[in-house]
Amino acid sequence: MGGGISGYGSAILAKKEGFEVFLSDRGAIADRYKAKLEEWGVPYEEGSHDEERILAADEVIKSPGIPDKAPIVQQLRAKGTPIISEMEFAARYMGSAKSLCITGSNGKTTTTSLIYKILCDAGFNVALGGNIGESFAYQVATGSFDWYVLELSSFQLDGMYRFKADVGVLMNITPDHLDRYDYQFQNYVDSKMRITQNQTPREKFIYLEDDAVICAELPKLKANPTLLPFGKERQGVVEVDGKRLELDFDKMQIKGLHNRYNAQAAALAALSAGVSPEVVARSIYSFSPVEHRLEPAGERDGVVWINDSKATNVDSVWYALESMTRPVVWIAGGTDKGNDYAPLMAFAREKVHTLICMGLDNAKLERDFAGVVPTIRSTSSLDEAMQEARKAAREGDVVLLSPACASFDLFHNYEERGRLFKEWVATHILKA
């Protein structure tokens, strides 16, 4: 179910393993995925669900974007049909390969990318998949790797049961996607903690010891992995199986407390996989920012423009504002996911002189930051928001796109929002 990157890869792996396969997507399937399905002889439908055919399945691999509340999913559950994720399915056919799995409300993309770079630099035979890169299942079907570095969302973890991470990394747990978890934070917490399921003392669990939510969950662990904590008080010192590394944060290209966390987690993961401390350090120091995550978009007339479009929740914006060392013109807004902006108030009061609200409904942002940020402007398009930001920015400022909200009111996704931000800067600022 679902014909995106997760679904097409799962269908091809299932076909390769000899299953009778059918792929169904209620929306449109991208041409490149259709071409692959046809190449492998996988029957598919788009634009609707053939309920009779779907309900006749012995097992369903559900793409993470399809909510459990979808009627067809409810029908399958009522019938007792097993519903699993691409991750669960592909892991059955990994052979002797090992998995290094990263999850968390924030920081997982940067950490995953960093771990993948370190392992590549070390000469490992490694693939990148999950919520980033190519489909995990497609790579299992068509390649042969020793390590899989997988970024896992809570939705992917929900469909994983027998899967076991050889190295599991949990960056943090803060409220996000609560609309998918009956607005119960504990349900979301339970989902994230599934990263530890089925682990034994042979496997490693890397986690942020500064996160009170994670620490409260540790006594409840049914699994018994080897625990490898990281945090602010450790000053960049990481150690695994007698291999010790002291990171010099000043040598890193990625800045801010959140990236110090990301680097420590990545170092622990890479050391766990057998990379030498020297290679780990060298790779971390040469790593540059991930696209759409505190990504520099340009500088002119003393004003720096930063694309942080991937910051779709409050916690991501907290780290973004924490890392700012200049006065801030902050562009925020979009589809609110039930945000509580209280954690941002101190930084907003201290660092932000202008808030540009960019969305179809800005009332909550305007109300919550009234009296906290001196100047608030409401806009309903990217161009309008950028014009207002340019007017407000002074020499020595930073214009920060860090929305704290989903993008779906004005954009297809956060990538489009970030790309259009960068294009506007390139056209109207850098070339002006």
Side-chain angles (χ1 to χ4, degrees):
M1 285 183 61
I5 192 165
S6 172
Y8 102 95
S10 300
I12 287 169
L13 177 58
K15 180 77 174 183
K16 183 191 176 191
E17 294 299 329
F19 290 95
E20 185 182 342
V21 190
F22 177 60
L23 185 145
S24 176
D25 194 312
R26 203 174 65 176
I29 301 173
D31 289 342
R32 66 189 182 101
Y33 297 149
K34 283 196 278 196
K36 286 288 186 185
L37 294 170
E38 288 162 9
E39 179 188 328
W40 283 78
V42 175
Y44 63 87
E45 65 176 352
E46 58 181 335
S48 64
H49 285 318
D50 182 340
E51 291 191 6
E52 184 179 351
R53 195 163 181 181
I54 292 170
L55 293 171
D58 297 302
E59 186 169 52
V60 170
I61 303 165
K62 180 176 76 67
S63 293
I66 301 172
D68 283 341
K69 292 176 182 173
I72 189 67
V73 177
Q74 297 281 346
Q75 289 175 263
L76 286 162
R77 294 229 186 270
K79 195 169 179 287
T81 305
I83 302 174
I84 62 172
S85 71
E86 172 206 3
M87 306 295 130
E88 177 78 4
F89 182 66
R92 296 173 185 171
Y93 305 102
M94 280 171 55
S96 60
K98 292 190 173 182
S99 63
L100 206 160
C101 304
I102 303 93
T103 194
S105 304
N106 298 292
K108 56 183 178 292
T109 298
T110 298
T111 305
T112 304
S113 302
L114 184 47
I115 293 168
Y116 177 65
K117 171 181 164 46
I118 298 169
L119 267 60
C120 286
D121 290 350
F124 280 41
N125 177 26
V126 57
L128 176 68
N131 227 23
I132 184 175
E134 178 55 274
S135 159
F136 172 38
Y138 184 77
Q139 292 182 97
V140 170
T142 60
S144 178
F145 298 93
D146 298 324
W147 281 92
Y148 289 92
V149 177
L150 304 173
E151 177 188 320
L152 302 179
S153 70
S154 57
F155 306 150
Q156 288 164 323
L157 286 162
D158 288 338
M160 295 162 69
Y161 302 95
R162 294 184 180 176
F163 181 95
K164 177 173 66 177
D166 292 287
V167 181
V169 182
L170 178 53
M171 299 305 300
N172 43 57
I173 307 178
T174 60
D176 199 5
H177 303 299
L178 296 188
D179 52 327
R180 286 278 292 261
Y181 292 98
D182 299 323
Y183 295 95
Q184 298 293 318
F185 182 46
Q186 188 60 47
N187 292 345
Y188 175 66
V189 172
D190 293 344
S191 177
K192 285 296 189 188
M193 292 305 297
R194 289 171 75 92
I195 192 75
T196 66
Q197 68 182 0
N198 305 318
Q199 286 192 314
T200 72
R202 288 193 302 276
E203 287 79 45
K204 294 181 169 66
F205 175 48
I206 298 163
Y207 67 94
L208 176 60
E209 64 184 354
D210 300 348
D211 190 305
V213 177
I214 297 175
C215 291
E217 294 297 311
L218 294 178
K220 306 179 194 174
L221 284 184
K222 292 176 185 172
N224 186 30
T226 298
L227 301 178
L228 295 173
F230 65 93
K232 191 160 51 178
E233 296 304 316
R234 294 180 182 263
Q235 302 294 317
V237 176
V238 294
E239 186 172 352
V240 179
D241 299 332
K243 290 183 292 183
R244 190 174 186 275
L245 170 62
E246 188 169 345
L247 291 168
D248 182 346
F249 295 132
D250 290 336
K251 291 183 178 178
M252 288 168 36
Q253 296 184 45
I254 49 176
K255 304 300 182 184
L257 175 61
H258 62 297
N259 280 318
R260 294 182 178 191
Y261 285 153
N262 298 341
Q264 289 177 76
L268 285 168
L271 291 173
S272 297
V275 181
S276 72
E278 295 75 26
V279 170
V280 172
R282 189 165 62 243
S283 295
I284 288 175
Y285 298 151
S286 65
F287 182 78
S288 47
V290 170
E291 189 177 18
H292 308 303
R293 192 70 185 98
L294 289 172
E295 177 191 15
E299 180 175 359
R300 183 160 182 184
D301 299 330
V303 177
V304 174
W305 297 72
I306 293 180
N307 166 31
D308 195 39
S309 182
K310 199 173 190 304
T312 59
N313 58 42
V314 169
D315 196 55
S316 293
V317 177
W318 187 96
Y319 284 111
L321 289 175
E322 184 272 338
S323 70
M324 292 298 110
T325 56
R326 293 165 163 242
V328 177
V329 176
W330 174 28
I331 303 174
T335 305
D336 189 288
K337 298 185 282 187
N339 289 349
D340 174 9
Y341 294 112
L344 303 180
M345 293 301 167
F347 283 141
R349 189 175 282 110
E350 175 193 348
K351 300 186 178 189
V352 179
H353 66 74
T354 303
L355 168 60
I356 312 292
C357 304
M358 181 176 68
L360 297 182
D361 182 3
N362 298 320
K364 184 176 179 184
L365 269 172
E366 292 179 84
R367 183 177 65 248
D368 286 10
F369 287 94
V372 177
V373 175
T375 303
I376 299 177
R377 297 278 183 266
S378 183
T379 68
S380 57
S381 71
L382 179 97
D383 184 66
E384 189 185 356
M386 298 297 273
Q387 297 283 8
E388 289 291 336
R390 180 165 61 178
K391 280 188 239 173
R394 306 180 291 253
E395 185 178 350
D397 283 359
V398 61
V399 176
L400 172 69
L401 171 68
S402 194
C405 298
S407 54
F408 307 127
D409 59 342
L410 296 176
F411 311 94
H412 288 107
N413 47 44
Y414 75 80
E415 291 98 337
E416 182 189 46
R417 177 170 60 191
R419 178 175 53 77
L420 291 173
F421 173 88
K422 290 191 290 182
E423 287 175 2
W424 200 98
V425 172
T427 302
H428 296 87
I429 303 296
L430 303 183
K431 290 181 183 174

